[in-house]
Amino acid sequence: MDITEFYQTFFEEAEELLNEMEHLLLDIDIDEPDSEQLNAIFRAAHSIKGGAGTFGFTVLQETTHIFENLLDRARHNELTLDREIIDIFLETKDMLTDQLNAYRNQEEPDPEAFERICNTLKRIAEERVEGGAPKVAAPKPAAQPAAGADAAARVLTLTLTKIEEDEKDTLTEELALFGAIKHSEFSEGTLTVSIETQEPVDDIEAVLCFVLDAGQISIKETSGAEASEPVQSAPAPVAEQPSASAAQPAAKKPEDDKKATAKPAAPKKPAKAGNGSDASLRVSTEKVDQIINLVGELVITQSMLEQTTQGLDPVAYGQLLNGMTQLQRNARDLQEAVMSVRMMPMDYVFNRFPRLVRDLAGKLGKEIELVTVGKSTELDKGLIERIIDPLTHLVRNCLDHGIELPDKREAAGKHRVGKLTLSAQHQGGNILIEVSDDGAGLNREKILSKAQSSGIQISDTMSDEDVWQLIFAPGFSTADEITDVSGRGVGMDVVKRNIQQMGGHVDILSQAGKGSTTRIVLPLTLAILDGMSVKVGDEVFILPLGAIMESIQVKTEEINKVAGQDQVIYVRGEYLPLVELHKVFNVPSAQTDVTQGIVMIVQSEGRHCALLVDQLIGQHQVVVKNLETNYRKVPGISAATIMGDGSVALILDVPALQRISRDRRGESSRSSATVH
């Protein structure tokens, strides 16, 4: 049996176990460690060791073997935990991750790193474990609920069903890794193996689930006295003597109970491939993306049919029109259901930060508590993966620039421990992600001074919101000195650019002495968009619905000219720059008289502006197609879509249009224009 096809399943499940291990190590109370947490960490290491042994990943197996021995001593109070030991355990977890990735890439792990971490673990065992270094076999019996049975005489009977004849030898060899094979028999697709072992039942089952379905596996535990009991109708003469006692129902009943209690242990492990009781199924992202694309094409086709049937007589074609209505409803439900497959909880992102906060806080000499809110809030997988880097930079900024040192916090009347909060929540068709700290807040004067020295146009009358936006300028940094954490002026401009590329925007709120909040607003998905179709000349554009504030018609007295030929309109006490789309995209035959067209008030990046269009067509949901991939990047356009009549409509990039408008007017005319 070729077990290489199961490598990917092992890699994914081992990665999940390592992540679980890290979270448990970070959460553990050093002064009063929870036994359940220590047991869970031990089981994770033990399961990885068993799987690594099954697949022949020797270095990974040996590292986890040494690691689990120390963990076993810790859970039996023979090793006193402290911060140094937790740091070493976390370093070991990182090393296991590196080794796993090496095997994933069909490479051998770094031998020097392997030797270094093993020596470190052995040193801890020799210096810190009560009674000396842990023995190799010592941890195993403690993990088993063997009722009064001696560990050395513990025998498991495994019955594996639906086995091909050419698989039995390989499976028997794999089981031999867990202990001594006492008996093995194969008959009519069923392999029965009796093995003397000290391994936990659920761990053996977990490893077997890499190559077999859970329904194919049955494990029965026997005591030392029953170790020589025959398996099924085993012909071995030595087994005939105890078989009489084995036939007595009273003797078998307790063991049946043990089997019943041993089986439920498996669900404690992560989802196993092929387990019929699992509620999840591993599917590659490429397959999901293909389905989403096909559903998108189906929606476009449905839209075309709907437009074709709009002029039909409802009396003569009532049945057809009813069918079209049902098709529209079903297509919408199917679209939403398929999109939900790509949705992932923000927990996937937030779980990366406890380790980062712990390590960086220790490096900076700060005491910081991390709080996460809304971990179950879901976001499209594509956005989840792209939001990690911007959030990482924001978190590092809060730790380095925002939250003060403990002594300084106490002097300011604050608690020594600073609080960093990551939160996520749905807001309409968007997701709102906030990174908040209770630190010193942003320093307005320092930012203005740095901006002026960097040649950035500023004004003393700038609002706080505009001042905070200055930190997104390329190369901007208020750090007094350059460190390996910050100070190079690289990051915040990249954060803003990445958020904008995802169709979102970022704002900053800050209060001196109370802290800062960076707020990111993103669409839930980049595949589907609720938009308003507008017409400019003969061209149709899609304006994202989330950016629209209102649509109005303006009067002549509300229009004013600024530097050059640019115009602003006066709306409710505020002058808004006017972006004439026919000029931006060179559209002929468009409405040039502002008073005769429709002005769309839109919002992005905390600023408002006005877009001039000829007319509004209607609101609908569109399937987003990447324009840059299929054509090229067009300034002011974020993507494209296919309309119901088969024509292509371009989706407007509101932040880009605002930047185009500012570039044309110049930054100085934007901030302090003289209205004529």
Side-chain angles (χ1 to χ4, degrees):
M1 180 174 61
D2 182 13
I3 62 173
T4 58
E5 60 182 293
F6 301 103
Y7 279 4
Q8 188 58 35
T9 302
F10 167 72
F11 293 143
E12 291 174 357
E13 298 198 7
E15 187 174 12
E16 291 175 3
L17 289 170
L18 287 171
N19 288 334
E20 177 190 6
M21 183 189 297
E22 179 177 274
H23 298 147
L24 290 168
L25 286 170
L26 291 172
D27 290 341
I28 203 163
D29 185 344
I30 297 177
D31 298 325
E32 296 182 8
D34 185 277
S35 60
E36 285 302 316
Q37 286 181 313
L38 289 172
N39 287 334
I41 298 169
F42 172 81
R43 285 195 300 268
H46 194 77
S47 295
I48 294 171
K49 186 198 77 171
T54 298
F55 293 108
F57 301 145
T58 308
V59 173
L60 181 61
Q61 181 188 17
E62 291 179 2
T63 308
T64 48
H65 182 61
I66 299 172
F67 187 30
E68 72 167 348
N69 286 331
L70 272 180
L71 291 170
D72 186 69
R73 289 305 175 100
R75 68 189 186 133
H76 286 99
N77 299 320
E78 297 173 7
L79 173 64
T80 303
L81 297 179
D82 56 26
R83 185 179 179 87
E84 180 191 0
I85 289 181
I86 295 296
D87 287 341
I88 292 173
F89 284 179
L90 287 169
E91 183 184 352
T92 305
K93 175 265 166 188
D94 292 339
M95 185 60 63
L96 294 175
T97 301
D98 292 342
Q99 293 174 356
L100 189 71
N101 290 334
Y103 284 120
R104 193 197 300 264
N105 297 326
Q106 299 182 353
E107 301 171 353
E108 279 298 315
D110 183 356
E112 293 183 2
F114 164 65
E115 184 177 359
R116 185 182 71 251
I117 198 65
C118 288
N119 288 338
T120 301
L121 294 174
K122 289 175 181 177
R123 175 180 61 80
I124 293 294
E126 293 170 357
E127 297 176 357
R128 309 290 289 274
V129 173
E130 296 180 14
K135 298 177 182 178
V136 171
K140 309 297 178 59
Q144 296 304 318
D150 181 76
R154 199 172 137 272
V155 174
L156 298 180
T157 299
L158 294 88
T159 304
L160 311 179
T161 58
K162 300 179 183 178
I163 305 299
E164 299 294 333
E165 187 167 1
D166 58 352
E167 298 175 339
K168 62 182 179 65
D169 291 338
T170 304
L171 283 170
T172 303
E173 291 174 4
E174 297 298 334
L175 289 173
L177 295 171
F178 296 107
I181 300 295
K182 309 296 289 184
H183 178 76
S184 176
E185 180 181 354
F186 180 77
S187 176
E188 297 181 355
T190 298
L191 175 63
T192 307
V193 178
S194 181
I195 178 175
E196 185 175 349
T197 181
Q198 296 174 335
E199 299 287 345
V201 173
D202 54 345
D203 285 355
I204 295 177
E205 184 175 22
V207 172
L208 286 173
C209 279
F210 285 122
V211 293
L212 298 175
D213 291 347
Q216 295 176 259
I217 306 166
S218 175
I219 303 178
K220 175 183 176 182
E221 183 178 340
T222 56
S223 66
E226 297 166 319
S228 57
E229 196 174 279
V231 180
Q232 291 189 354
S233 55
V238 70
E240 290 181 2
Q241 196 73 2
S243 64
S245 61
Q248 298 176 11
K252 292 187 67 176
K253 185 69 176 179
E255 303 311 321
D256 292 338
D257 291 340
K258 286 183 182 180
K259 175 181 174 181
T261 57
K263 289 295 288 181
K268 293 180 181 178
K269 303 297 173 186
K272 305 293 186 299
N275 190 339
S277 63
D278 286 342
S280 62
L281 177 67
R282 294 185 187 275
V283 180
S284 67
T285 306
E286 291 76 12
K287 290 183 178 180
V288 175
D289 289 341
Q290 184 180 10
I291 294 174
I292 289 175
N293 289 333
L294 291 173
V295 171
E297 297 299 327
L298 176 63
V299 171
I300 292 172
T301 304
Q302 176 268 323
S303 181
M304 291 180 178
L305 292 174
E306 182 183 7
Q307 187 164 330
T308 304
T309 58
Q310 280 181 349
L312 297 180
D313 183 0
V315 177
Y317 297 95
Q319 190 172 357
L320 174 61
L321 294 177
N322 288 337
M324 284 302 304
T325 303
Q326 184 69 26
L327 175 62
Q328 180 185 21
R329 184 161 51 248
N330 290 343
R332 178 84 179 216
D333 291 344
L334 177 62
Q335 189 180 56
E336 292 178 355
V338 171
M339 289 308 304
S340 69
V341 174
R342 271 189 66 94
M343 304 300 279
M344 295 179 64
M346 283 298 295
D347 189 39
Y348 177 82
V349 177
F350 289 168
N351 277 344
R352 296 170 178 262
F353 292 109
R355 177 73 182 279
L356 171 66
V357 171
R358 180 185 187 276
D359 292 349
L360 192 54
K363 192 173 188 178
L364 297 171
K366 298 181 179 181
E367 299 176 21
I368 297 174
E369 175 192 6
L370 175 64
V371 179
T372 55
V373 180
K375 293 192 292 185
S376 61
T377 305
E378 292 188 329
L379 182 64
D380 185 274
K381 183 180 186 296
L383 294 175
I384 282 273
E385 293 170 343
R386 293 168 63 182
I387 195 65
I388 291 174
D389 285 344
L391 281 182
T392 299
H393 188 85
L394 293 176
V395 167
R396 291 170 68 91
N397 260 12
C398 288
L399 298 178
D400 191 26
H401 299 302
I403 299 176
E404 312 96 325
L405 290 166
D407 293 343
K408 192 172 182 180
R409 289 179 62 87
E410 280 190 333
K414 297 182 179 180
H415 195 279
R416 287 181 60 85
V417 180
K419 180 181 288 187
L420 174 64
T421 304
L422 300 177
S423 66
Q425 62 176 323
H426 286 145
Q427 191 178 72
N430 298 317
I431 184 172
L432 176 64
I433 303 171
E434 291 185 342
V435 181
S436 306
D437 67 69
D438 64 348
L442 296 178
N443 188 316
R444 177 187 172 95
E445 288 71 26
K446 194 172 185 179
I447 293 174
L448 287 173
S449 175
K450 180 66 177 180
Q452 189 173 25
S453 64
S454 301
I456 300 175
Q457 293 284 350
I458 62 171
S459 168
D460 292 336
T461 59
M462 292 175 67
S463 66
D464 285 344
E465 289 75 14
D466 288 336
V467 173
W468 308 151
Q469 288 292 323
L470 292 174
I471 68 175
F472 291 112
F476 191 92
S477 175
T478 58
D480 296 325
E481 59 181 14
I482 294 177
T483 68
D484 57 351
V485 178
S486 62
R488 295 174 176 81
V490 178
M492 291 302 284
D493 59 321
V494 177
V495 168
K496 186 173 183 179
R497 184 166 63 249
N498 289 346
I499 298 300
Q500 289 172 345
Q501 289 174 351
M502 290 186 276
H505 65 270
V506 54
D507 300 317
I508 296 180
L509 308 173
S510 182
Q511 276 188 288
K514 294 186 177 180
S516 303
T517 297
T518 303
R519 179 175 296 164
I520 298 171
V521 180
L522 291 172
L524 290 179
T525 176
L526 295 181
I528 304 294
L529 175 73
D530 285 313
M532 175 74 72
S533 55
V534 298
K535 200 164 188 179
V536 180
D538 295 329
E539 299 294 331
V540 175
F541 296 95
I542 303 296
L543 191 58
L545 206 60
I548 300 174
M549 304 297 294
E550 60 180 319
S551 59
I552 60 174
Q553 283 191 296
V554 298
K555 301 175 183 177
T556 305
E557 58 268 23
E558 296 171 333
I559 306 169
N560 298 276
K561 286 193 175 182
V562 291
Q565 297 298 313
D566 293 311
Q567 301 180 85
V568 295
I569 61 172
Y570 187 73
V571 180
R572 299 184 184 89
E574 183 181 6
Y575 287 100
L576 303 180
L578 180 67
V579 179
E580 299 173 82
L581 293 181
H582 67 277
K583 289 184 179 180
V584 175
F585 300 114
N586 297 317
V587 180
S589 307
Q591 179 59 255
T592 57
D593 188 348
V594 180
T595 60
Q596 298 301 311
I598 303 292
V599 173
M600 308 291 295
I601 309 298
V602 296
Q603 177 183 13
S604 177
E605 302 177 0
R607 295 186 175 91
H608 295 169
C609 76
L611 306 180
L612 176 63
V613 302
D614 290 6
Q615 66 180 95
L616 306 182
I617 299 176
Q619 174 186 337
H620 45 257
Q621 197 174 57
V622 298
V623 179
V624 179
K625 300 291 184 181
N626 191 307
L627 185 63
E628 189 172 353
T629 301
N630 297 294
Y631 176 53
R632 64 179 175 84
K633 187 172 182 61
V634 178
I637 300 298
S638 63
T641 189
I642 300 175
M643 304 297 289
D645 59 0
S647 62
V648 175
L650 300 177
I651 300 173
L652 297 175
D653 185 346
V654 175
L657 289 173
Q658 287 184 330
R659 289 194 295 273
I660 291 172
S661 175
R662 289 200 298 271
D663 291 343
R664 284 169 47 178
R665 294 195 314 275
E667 193 67 22
S668 59
S669 63
R670 179 188 66 79
S671 58
S672 56
T674 302
V675 179
H676 301 289

